[in-house]
PDB file of all heavy atoms in Angstrom:
ATOM      1  N   ILE B  61     -14.776  -1.604  13.774  1.00 97.00           N
ATOM      2  CA  ILE B  61     -14.777  -2.020  12.372  1.00 97.00           C
ATOM      3  C   ILE B  61     -13.432  -1.659  11.758  1.00 97.00           C
ATOM      4  O   ILE B  61     -12.990  -0.513  11.864  1.00 97.00           O
ATOM      5  CB  ILE B  61     -15.884  -1.268  11.593  1.00 97.00           C
ATOM      6  CG1 ILE B  61     -17.259  -1.567  12.204  1.00 97.00           C
ATOM      7  CG2 ILE B  61     -15.866  -1.640  10.112  1.00 97.00           C
ATOM      8  CD1 ILE B  61     -18.344  -0.615  11.728  1.00 97.00           C
ATOM      9  N   LEU B  62     -12.794  -2.633  11.124  1.00 97.00           N
ATOM     10  CA  LEU B  62     -11.537  -2.353  10.413  1.00 97.00           C
ATOM     11  C   LEU B  62     -11.850  -2.171   8.934  1.00 97.00           C
ATOM     12  O   LEU B  62     -12.664  -2.892   8.385  1.00 97.00           O
ATOM     13  CB  LEU B  62     -10.548  -3.516  10.540  1.00 97.00           C
ATOM     14  CG  LEU B  62     -10.117  -3.992  11.916  1.00 97.00           C
ATOM     15  CD1 LEU B  62      -8.903  -4.898  11.792  1.00 97.00           C
ATOM     16  CD2 LEU B  62      -9.800  -2.844  12.836  1.00 97.00           C
ATOM     17  N   VAL B  63     -11.185  -1.213   8.302  1.00 97.00           N
ATOM     18  CA  VAL B  63     -11.343  -1.038   6.855  1.00 97.00           C
ATOM     19  C   VAL B  63     -10.010  -1.436   6.217  1.00 97.00           C
ATOM     20  O   VAL B  63      -8.980  -0.830   6.489  1.00 97.00           O
ATOM     21  CB  VAL B  63     -11.714   0.417   6.498  1.00 97.00           C
ATOM     22  CG1 VAL B  63     -11.857   0.577   4.986  1.00 97.00           C
ATOM     23  CG2 VAL B  63     -13.017   0.800   7.197  1.00 97.00           C
ATOM     24  N   LEU B  64     -10.061  -2.514   5.432  1.00 95.00           N
ATOM     25  CA  LEU B  64      -8.832  -3.102   4.902  1.00 95.00           C
ATOM     26  C   LEU B  64      -8.878  -3.164   3.390  1.00 95.00           C
ATOM     27  O   LEU B  64      -9.956  -3.084   2.789  1.00 95.00           O
ATOM     28  CB  LEU B  64      -8.684  -4.550   5.412  1.00 95.00           C
ATOM     29  CG  LEU B  64      -8.650  -4.818   6.907  1.00 95.00           C
ATOM     30  CD1 LEU B  64      -8.650  -6.320   7.148  1.00 95.00           C
ATOM     31  CD2 LEU B  64      -7.426  -4.211   7.531  1.00 95.00           C
ATOM     32  N   SER B  65      -7.700  -3.375   2.782  1.00 93.00           N
ATOM     33  CA  SER B  65      -7.732  -3.705   1.363  1.00 93.00           C
ATOM     34  C   SER B  65      -6.651  -4.674   0.948  1.00 93.00           C
ATOM     35  O   SER B  65      -6.950  -5.727   0.454  1.00 93.00           O
ATOM     36  CB  SER B  65      -7.676  -2.479   0.478  1.00 93.00           C
ATOM     37  OG  SER B  65      -7.714  -2.919  -0.876  1.00 93.00           O
ATOM     38  N   GLY B  66      -5.424  -4.332   1.173  1.00 89.00           N
ATOM     39  CA  GLY B  66      -4.370  -5.137   0.560  1.00 89.00           C
ATOM     40  C   GLY B  66      -3.807  -4.304  -0.570  1.00 89.00           C
ATOM     41  O   GLY B  66      -2.605  -4.124  -0.688  1.00 89.00           O
ATOM     42  N   LYS B  67      -4.685  -3.755  -1.361  1.00 92.00           N
ATOM     43  CA  LYS B  67      -4.289  -2.901  -2.493  1.00 92.00           C
ATOM     44  C   LYS B  67      -4.302  -1.429  -2.049  1.00 92.00           C
ATOM     45  O   LYS B  67      -5.179  -1.016  -1.281  1.00 92.00           O
ATOM     46  CB  LYS B  67      -5.266  -3.102  -3.648  1.00 92.00           C
ATOM     47  CG  LYS B  67      -4.957  -2.323  -4.906  1.00 92.00           C
ATOM     48  CD  LYS B  67      -3.842  -2.983  -5.702  1.00 92.00           C
ATOM     49  CE  LYS B  67      -3.446  -2.159  -6.916  1.00 92.00           C
ATOM     50  NZ  LYS B  67      -2.637  -1.000  -6.562  1.00 92.00           N
ATOM     51  N   GLY B  68      -3.323  -0.677  -2.562  1.00 91.00           N
ATOM     52  CA  GLY B  68      -3.311   0.748  -2.255  1.00 91.00           C
ATOM     53  C   GLY B  68      -4.193   1.517  -3.218  1.00 91.00           C
ATOM     54  O   GLY B  68      -4.431   1.085  -4.342  1.00 91.00           O
ATOM     55  N   GLY B  69      -4.647   2.657  -2.772  1.00 93.00           N
ATOM     56  CA  GLY B  69      -5.352   3.579  -3.657  1.00 93.00           C
ATOM     57  C   GLY B  69      -6.737   3.162  -4.104  1.00 93.00           C
ATOM     58  O   GLY B  69      -7.243   3.664  -5.095  1.00 93.00           O
ATOM     59  N   VAL B  70      -7.379   2.247  -3.390  1.00 94.00           N
ATOM     60  CA  VAL B  70      -8.716   1.811  -3.806  1.00 94.00           C
ATOM     61  C   VAL B  70      -9.815   2.610  -3.125  1.00 94.00           C
ATOM     62  O   VAL B  70     -10.979   2.490  -3.485  1.00 94.00           O
ATOM     63  CB  VAL B  70      -8.958   0.305  -3.523  1.00 94.00           C
ATOM     64  CG1 VAL B  70      -7.992  -0.542  -4.339  1.00 94.00           C
ATOM     65  CG2 VAL B  70      -8.813  -0.018  -2.042  1.00 94.00           C
ATOM     66  N   GLY B  71      -9.420   3.404  -2.128  1.00 95.00           N
ATOM     67  CA  GLY B  71     -10.422   4.227  -1.459  1.00 95.00           C
ATOM     68  C   GLY B  71     -10.727   3.822  -0.033  1.00 95.00           C
ATOM     69  O   GLY B  71     -11.842   4.078   0.443  1.00 95.00           O
ATOM     70  N   LYS B  72      -9.749   3.212   0.647  1.00 95.00           N
ATOM     71  CA  LYS B  72     -10.000   2.834   2.042  1.00 95.00           C
ATOM     72  C   LYS B  72     -10.271   4.066   2.901  1.00 95.00           C
ATOM     73  O   LYS B  72     -11.244   4.111   3.655  1.00 95.00           O
ATOM     74  CB  LYS B  72      -8.775   2.123   2.646  1.00 95.00           C
ATOM     75  CG  LYS B  72      -8.548   0.717   2.167  1.00 95.00           C
ATOM     76  CD  LYS B  72      -7.292   0.145   2.779  1.00 95.00           C
ATOM     77  CE  LYS B  72      -6.013   0.801   2.259  1.00 95.00           C
ATOM     78  NZ  LYS B  72      -5.912   0.884   0.804  1.00 95.00           N
ATOM     79  N   SER B  73      -9.366   5.057   2.805  1.00 96.00           N
ATOM     80  CA  SER B  73      -9.510   6.246   3.639  1.00 96.00           C
ATOM     81  C   SER B  73     -10.767   7.006   3.267  1.00 96.00           C
ATOM     82  O   SER B  73     -11.485   7.501   4.141  1.00 96.00           O
ATOM     83  CB  SER B  73      -8.281   7.148   3.494  1.00 96.00           C
ATOM     84  OG  SER B  73      -7.133   6.464   3.931  1.00 96.00           O
ATOM     85  N   THR B  74     -11.017   7.101   1.973  1.00 96.00           N
ATOM     86  CA  THR B  74     -12.235   7.773   1.510  1.00 96.00           C
ATOM     87  C   THR B  74     -13.454   7.086   2.106  1.00 96.00           C
ATOM     88  O   THR B  74     -14.351   7.726   2.662  1.00 96.00           O
ATOM     89  CB  THR B  74     -12.313   7.743  -0.023  1.00 96.00           C
ATOM     90  OG1 THR B  74     -11.136   8.326  -0.559  1.00 96.00           O
ATOM     91  CG2 THR B  74     -13.533   8.479  -0.539  1.00 96.00           C
ATOM     92  N   PHE B  75     -13.466   5.764   2.025  1.00 97.00           N
ATOM     93  CA  PHE B  75     -14.610   5.025   2.541  1.00 97.00           C
ATOM     94  C   PHE B  75     -14.708   5.160   4.061  1.00 97.00           C
ATOM     95  O   PHE B  75     -15.793   5.386   4.607  1.00 97.00           O
ATOM     96  CB  PHE B  75     -14.532   3.551   2.158  1.00 97.00           C
ATOM     97  CG  PHE B  75     -15.728   2.778   2.637  1.00 97.00           C
ATOM     98  CD1 PHE B  75     -16.920   2.825   1.923  1.00 97.00           C
ATOM     99  CD2 PHE B  75     -15.696   2.075   3.825  1.00 97.00           C
ATOM    100  CE1 PHE B  75     -18.047   2.163   2.384  1.00 97.00           C
ATOM    101  CE2 PHE B  75     -16.813   1.414   4.295  1.00 97.00           C
ATOM    102  CZ  PHE B  75     -17.999   1.459   3.577  1.00 97.00           C
ATOM    103  N   SER B  76     -13.580   5.018   4.754  1.00 97.00           N
ATOM    104  CA  SER B  76     -13.582   5.116   6.225  1.00 97.00           C
ATOM    105  C   SER B  76     -14.152   6.448   6.664  1.00 97.00           C
ATOM    106  O   SER B  76     -14.961   6.522   7.592  1.00 97.00           O
ATOM    107  CB  SER B  76     -12.160   5.014   6.785  1.00 97.00           C
ATOM    108  OG  SER B  76     -11.566   3.811   6.427  1.00 97.00           O
ATOM    109  N   ALA B  77     -13.701   7.498   5.984  1.00 97.00           N
ATOM    110  CA  ALA B  77     -14.147   8.847   6.345  1.00 97.00           C
ATOM    111  C   ALA B  77     -15.657   8.969   6.154  1.00 97.00           C
ATOM    112  O   ALA B  77     -16.372   9.500   7.020  1.00 97.00           O
ATOM    113  CB  ALA B  77     -13.424   9.880   5.490  1.00 97.00           C
ATOM    114  N   HIS B  78     -16.151   8.466   5.035  1.00 97.00           N
ATOM    115  CA  HIS B  78     -17.585   8.625   4.767  1.00 97.00           C
ATOM    116  C   HIS B  78     -18.427   7.701   5.605  1.00 97.00           C
ATOM    117  O   HIS B  78     -19.554   8.045   5.983  1.00 97.00           O
ATOM    118  CB  HIS B  78     -17.849   8.513   3.258  1.00 97.00           C
ATOM    119  CG  HIS B  78     -17.333   9.710   2.525  1.00 97.00           C
ATOM    120  ND1 HIS B  78     -16.051   9.797   2.031  1.00 97.00           N
ATOM    121  CD2 HIS B  78     -17.900  10.921   2.282  1.00 97.00           C
ATOM    122  CE1 HIS B  78     -15.866  11.003   1.501  1.00 97.00           C
ATOM    123  NE2 HIS B  78     -16.975  11.702   1.646  1.00 97.00           N
ATOM    124  N   LEU B  79     -17.885   6.558   5.964  1.00 97.00           N
ATOM    125  CA  LEU B  79     -18.573   5.667   6.905  1.00 97.00           C
ATOM    126  C   LEU B  79     -18.725   6.393   8.242  1.00 97.00           C
ATOM    127  O   LEU B  79     -19.797   6.382   8.862  1.00 97.00           O
ATOM    128  CB  LEU B  79     -17.768   4.376   7.083  1.00 97.00           C
ATOM    129  CG  LEU B  79     -18.264   3.362   8.126  1.00 97.00           C
ATOM    130  CD1 LEU B  79     -19.680   2.890   7.805  1.00 97.00           C
ATOM    131  CD2 LEU B  79     -17.324   2.151   8.205  1.00 97.00           C
ATOM    132  N   ALA B  80     -17.637   7.055   8.658  1.00 97.00           N
ATOM    133  CA  ALA B  80     -17.673   7.798   9.914  1.00 97.00           C
ATOM    134  C   ALA B  80     -18.703   8.918   9.857  1.00 97.00           C
ATOM    135  O   ALA B  80     -19.519   9.093  10.773  1.00 97.00           O
ATOM    136  CB  ALA B  80     -16.285   8.361  10.233  1.00 97.00           C
ATOM    137  N   HIS B  81     -18.693   9.672   8.769  1.00 97.00           N
ATOM    138  CA  HIS B  81     -19.662  10.775   8.618  1.00 97.00           C
ATOM    139  C   HIS B  81     -21.084  10.244   8.656  1.00 97.00           C
ATOM    140  O   HIS B  81     -21.965  10.816   9.313  1.00 97.00           O
ATOM    141  CB  HIS B  81     -19.448  11.494   7.280  1.00 97.00           C
ATOM    142  CG  HIS B  81     -18.367  12.528   7.310  1.00 97.00           C
ATOM    143  ND1 HIS B  81     -18.416  13.629   8.132  1.00 97.00           N
ATOM    144  CD2 HIS B  81     -17.230  12.642   6.592  1.00 97.00           C
ATOM    145  CE1 HIS B  81     -17.329  14.375   7.929  1.00 97.00           C
ATOM    146  NE2 HIS B  81     -16.589  13.806   7.008  1.00 97.00           N
ATOM    147  N   ALA B  82     -21.316   9.154   7.939  1.00 97.00           N
ATOM    148  CA  ALA B  82     -22.676   8.607   7.847  1.00 97.00           C
ATOM    149  C   ALA B  82     -23.154   8.124   9.208  1.00 97.00           C
ATOM    150  O   ALA B  82     -24.288   8.394   9.616  1.00 97.00           O
ATOM    151  CB  ALA B  82     -22.714   7.475   6.822  1.00 97.00           C
ATOM    152  N   LEU B  83     -22.295   7.416   9.929  1.00 97.00           N
ATOM    153  CA  LEU B  83     -22.699   6.915  11.241  1.00 97.00           C
ATOM    154  C   LEU B  83     -22.922   8.066  12.215  1.00 97.00           C
ATOM    155  O   LEU B  83     -23.818   8.017  13.064  1.00 97.00           O
ATOM    156  CB  LEU B  83     -21.628   5.960  11.791  1.00 97.00           C
ATOM    157  CG  LEU B  83     -21.476   4.625  11.042  1.00 97.00           C
ATOM    158  CD1 LEU B  83     -20.240   3.875  11.517  1.00 97.00           C
ATOM    159  CD2 LEU B  83     -22.720   3.747  11.204  1.00 97.00           C
ATOM    160  N   ALA B  84     -22.109   9.104  12.083  1.00 96.00           N
ATOM    161  CA  ALA B  84     -22.220  10.248  13.002  1.00 96.00           C
ATOM    162  C   ALA B  84     -23.378  11.173  12.647  1.00 96.00           C
ATOM    163  O   ALA B  84     -23.707  12.079  13.415  1.00 96.00           O
ATOM    164  CB  ALA B  84     -20.910  11.034  13.009  1.00 96.00           C
ATOM    165  N   SER B  85     -24.011  10.932  11.491  1.00 95.00           N
ATOM    166  CA  SER B  85     -25.143  11.793  11.123  1.00 95.00           C
ATOM    167  C   SER B  85     -26.308  11.551  12.085  1.00 95.00           C
ATOM    168  O   SER B  85     -27.200  12.377  12.229  1.00 95.00           O
ATOM    169  CB  SER B  85     -25.579  11.546   9.676  1.00 95.00           C
ATOM    170  OG  SER B  85     -26.049  10.229   9.546  1.00 95.00           O
ATOM    171  N   ASP B  86     -26.263  10.430  12.781  1.00 95.00           N
ATOM    172  CA  ASP B  86     -27.211  10.188  13.872  1.00 95.00           C
ATOM    173  C   ASP B  86     -26.585  10.805  15.123  1.00 95.00           C
ATOM    174  O   ASP B  86     -25.622  10.280  15.678  1.00 95.00           O
ATOM    175  CB  ASP B  86     -27.402   8.674  14.039  1.00 95.00           C
ATOM    176  CG  ASP B  86     -28.324   8.322  15.192  1.00 95.00           C
ATOM    177  OD1 ASP B  86     -28.665   9.226  15.998  1.00 95.00           O
ATOM    178  OD2 ASP B  86     -28.704   7.140  15.314  1.00 95.00           O
ATOM    179  N   ALA B  87     -27.148  11.919  15.544  1.00 95.00           N
ATOM    180  CA  ALA B  87     -26.524  12.679  16.639  1.00 95.00           C
ATOM    181  C   ALA B  87     -26.480  11.920  17.956  1.00 95.00           C
ATOM    182  O   ALA B  87     -25.755  12.297  18.879  1.00 95.00           O
ATOM    183  CB  ALA B  87     -27.256  14.012  16.826  1.00 95.00           C
ATOM    184  N   THR B  88     -27.248  10.852  18.043  1.00 96.00           N
ATOM    185  CA  THR B  88     -27.241  10.098  19.299  1.00 96.00           C
ATOM    186  C   THR B  88     -26.078   9.103  19.362  1.00 96.00           C
ATOM    187  O   THR B  88     -25.864   8.444  20.376  1.00 96.00           O
ATOM    188  CB  THR B  88     -28.547   9.297  19.485  1.00 96.00           C
ATOM    189  OG1 THR B  88     -28.616   8.290  18.466  1.00 96.00           O
ATOM    190  CG2 THR B  88     -29.759  10.204  19.395  1.00 96.00           C
ATOM    191  N   LYS B  89     -25.358   8.969  18.233  1.00 97.00           N
ATOM    192  CA  LYS B  89     -24.251   8.005  18.203  1.00 97.00           C
ATOM    193  C   LYS B  89     -22.904   8.703  18.352  1.00 97.00           C
ATOM    194  O   LYS B  89     -22.686   9.763  17.771  1.00 97.00           O
ATOM    195  CB  LYS B  89     -24.246   7.227  16.867  1.00 97.00           C
ATOM    196  CG  LYS B  89     -25.507   6.428  16.623  1.00 97.00           C
ATOM    197  CD  LYS B  89     -25.492   5.108  17.402  1.00 97.00           C
ATOM    198  CE  LYS B  89     -26.737   4.290  17.115  1.00 97.00           C
ATOM    199  NZ  LYS B  89     -27.692   4.313  18.247  1.00 97.00           N
ATOM    200  N   GLU B  90     -22.019   8.077  19.113  1.00 97.00           N
ATOM    201  CA  GLU B  90     -20.656   8.581  19.246  1.00 97.00           C
ATOM    202  C   GLU B  90     -19.761   7.745  18.334  1.00 97.00           C
ATOM    203  O   GLU B  90     -19.721   6.527  18.442  1.00 97.00           O
ATOM    204  CB  GLU B  90     -20.154   8.414  20.688  1.00 97.00           C
ATOM    205  CG  GLU B  90     -20.861   9.286  21.710  1.00 97.00           C
ATOM    206  CD  GLU B  90     -20.538  10.769  21.511  1.00 97.00           C
ATOM    207  OE1 GLU B  90     -19.404  11.085  21.091  1.00 97.00           O
ATOM    208  OE2 GLU B  90     -21.436  11.595  21.773  1.00 97.00           O
ATOM    209  N   VAL B  91     -19.020   8.435  17.451  1.00 97.00           N
ATOM    210  CA  VAL B  91     -18.223   7.734  16.446  1.00 97.00           C
ATOM    211  C   VAL B  91     -16.779   8.219  16.502  1.00 97.00           C
ATOM    212  O   VAL B  91     -16.522   9.404  16.759  1.00 97.00           O
ATOM    213  CB  VAL B  91     -18.792   8.018  15.036  1.00 97.00           C
ATOM    214  CG1 VAL B  91     -18.010   7.273  13.965  1.00 97.00           C
ATOM    215  CG2 VAL B  91     -20.262   7.637  14.969  1.00 97.00           C
ATOM    216  N   ALA B  92     -15.838   7.321  16.278  1.00 97.00           N
ATOM    217  CA  ALA B  92     -14.435   7.731  16.194  1.00 97.00           C
ATOM    218  C   ALA B  92     -13.769   7.042  15.021  1.00 97.00           C
ATOM    219  O   ALA B  92     -14.109   5.906  14.670  1.00 97.00           O
ATOM    220  CB  ALA B  92     -13.697   7.402  17.481  1.00 97.00           C
ATOM    221  N   LEU B  93     -12.836   7.750  14.424  1.00 97.00           N
ATOM    222  CA  LEU B  93     -12.092   7.240  13.273  1.00 97.00           C
ATOM    223  C   LEU B  93     -10.609   7.256  13.625  1.00 97.00           C
ATOM    224  O   LEU B  93     -10.047   8.305  13.939  1.00 97.00           O
ATOM    225  CB  LEU B  93     -12.367   8.132  12.059  1.00 97.00           C
ATOM    226  CG  LEU B  93     -11.609   7.856  10.765  1.00 97.00           C
ATOM    227  CD1 LEU B  93     -11.783   6.424  10.292  1.00 97.00           C
ATOM    228  CD2 LEU B  93     -12.091   8.821   9.671  1.00 97.00           C
ATOM    229  N   LEU B  94      -9.997   6.072  13.621  1.00 96.00           N
ATOM    230  CA  LEU B  94      -8.579   5.942  13.933  1.00 96.00           C
ATOM    231  C   LEU B  94      -7.819   5.597  12.667  1.00 96.00           C
ATOM    232  O   LEU B  94      -8.132   4.609  11.998  1.00 96.00           O
ATOM    233  CB  LEU B  94      -8.368   4.841  14.992  1.00 96.00           C
ATOM    234  CG  LEU B  94      -6.915   4.427  15.261  1.00 96.00           C
ATOM    235  CD1 LEU B  94      -6.081   5.598  15.762  1.00 96.00           C
ATOM    236  CD2 LEU B  94      -6.869   3.282  16.271  1.00 96.00           C
ATOM    237  N   ASP B  95      -6.843   6.405  12.349  1.00 95.00           N
ATOM    238  CA  ASP B  95      -6.040   6.237  11.138  1.00 95.00           C
ATOM    239  C   ASP B  95      -4.718   5.590  11.523  1.00 95.00           C
ATOM    240  O   ASP B  95      -3.873   6.226  12.149  1.00 95.00           O
ATOM    241  CB  ASP B  95      -5.823   7.648  10.544  1.00 95.00           C
ATOM    242  CG  ASP B  95      -4.928   7.668   9.318  1.00 95.00           C
ATOM    243  OD1 ASP B  95      -4.610   6.597   8.767  1.00 95.00           O
ATOM    244  OD2 ASP B  95      -4.552   8.788   8.906  1.00 95.00           O
ATOM    245  N   VAL B  96      -4.530   4.299  11.171  1.00 94.00           N
ATOM    246  CA  VAL B  96      -3.250   3.662  11.507  1.00 94.00           C
ATOM    247  C   VAL B  96      -2.334   3.547  10.289  1.00 94.00           C
ATOM    248  O   VAL B  96      -1.421   2.717  10.260  1.00 94.00           O
ATOM    249  CB  VAL B  96      -3.410   2.300  12.238  1.00 94.00           C
ATOM    250  CG1 VAL B  96      -4.159   2.497  13.530  1.00 94.00           C
ATOM    251  CG2 VAL B  96      -4.075   1.244  11.380  1.00 94.00           C
TER     252      VAL B  96
END
Side-chain angles (χ1 to χ4, degrees):
Chain B
I61 300 166
L62 303 194
V63 179
L64 302 174
S65 180
K67 182 78 184 76
V70 297
K72 286 178 291 310
S73 298
T74 304
F75 182 80
S76 301
H78 289 89
L79 175 60
H81 277 299
L83 292 170
S85 64
D86 177 349
T88 66
K89 299 280 182 254
E90 292 292 327
V91 182
L93 175 55
L94 170 60
D95 176 11
V96 300

